[in-house]
Amino acid sequence: MSRAARLQAFLTRFEGVPVVWGENDCSAAPALWWSEETGKKVELPTYSSRDEAHAIIKRMGGLDAVWDDIAAQAGAMERYGDPEVGDVAIIDTRLHGQIGGICGAGRILTIRKDNGGWHPFGPVRQFVKVYATP
């Protein structure tokens, strides 16, 4: 099965499933994707609410800094240039600040919606960081 097909199956599994912070939110879902794709447990800092997640992000200096640590655990290197399907990326948004998601084709970033499911965001012109899925 191709990576694109595996990603589609992963996304479908969470469609309509309410977000649980620390388990399947906009950072936990990409970490779970990496765990499933690589067979390695990818650990996140522990949090159970949006406020706790934001406190960790602030303490570490930004979502990209948090993901630098997560990427190192997964064995993922930063990708320079266009992302590939299944990569994990961070973007800046005017409304929500930095958010993370999983890259689809055509510079689309698939982000987890708070009410469950996914939102295709893009095409993204500028990524803060892209981490190549190992």
Side-chain angles (χ1 to χ4, degrees), residues 2-121:
S2 71
R3 178 167 280 170
R6 290 190 307 273
L7 177 58
Q8 184 60 48
F10 176 84
L11 297 174
T12 299
R13 220 171 65 220
F14 289 96
E15 191 60 44
V17 174
V19 166
V20 176
W21 285 89
E23 291 183 26
N24 64 12
D25 59 80
C26 65
S27 281
L32 180 58
W33 160 248
W34 271 354
S35 290
E36 291 184 12
E37 193 65 6
T38 65
K40 290 195 245 178
K41 178 97 170 113
V42 179
E43 298 283 338
L44 292 172
T46 302
Y47 58 96
S48 59
S49 70
R50 179 190 305 266
D51 290 341
E52 289 175 6
H54 286 206
I56 291 166
I57 291 165
K58 183 176 181 179
R59 185 179 72 242
M60 293 186 72
L63 185 60
D64 55 331
V66 175
W67 269 94
D68 283 343
D69 286 349
I70 297 167
Q73 282 182 58
M77 302 298 292
E78 189 172 349
R79 184 184 301 282
Y80 300 96
D82 284 340
E84 294 182 9
V85 171
D87 287 350
V88 172
I90 310 286
I91 61 171
D92 271 323
T93 68
R94 282 179 249 178
L95 189 57
H96 301 289
Q98 289 186 343
I99 57 174
I102 306 170
C103 296
R107 299 179 68 86
I108 300 297
L109 185 66
T110 304
I111 59 172
R112 193 81 166 101
K113 298 186 300 186
D114 284 349
N115 64 351
W118 301 92
H119 175 71
F121 191 89

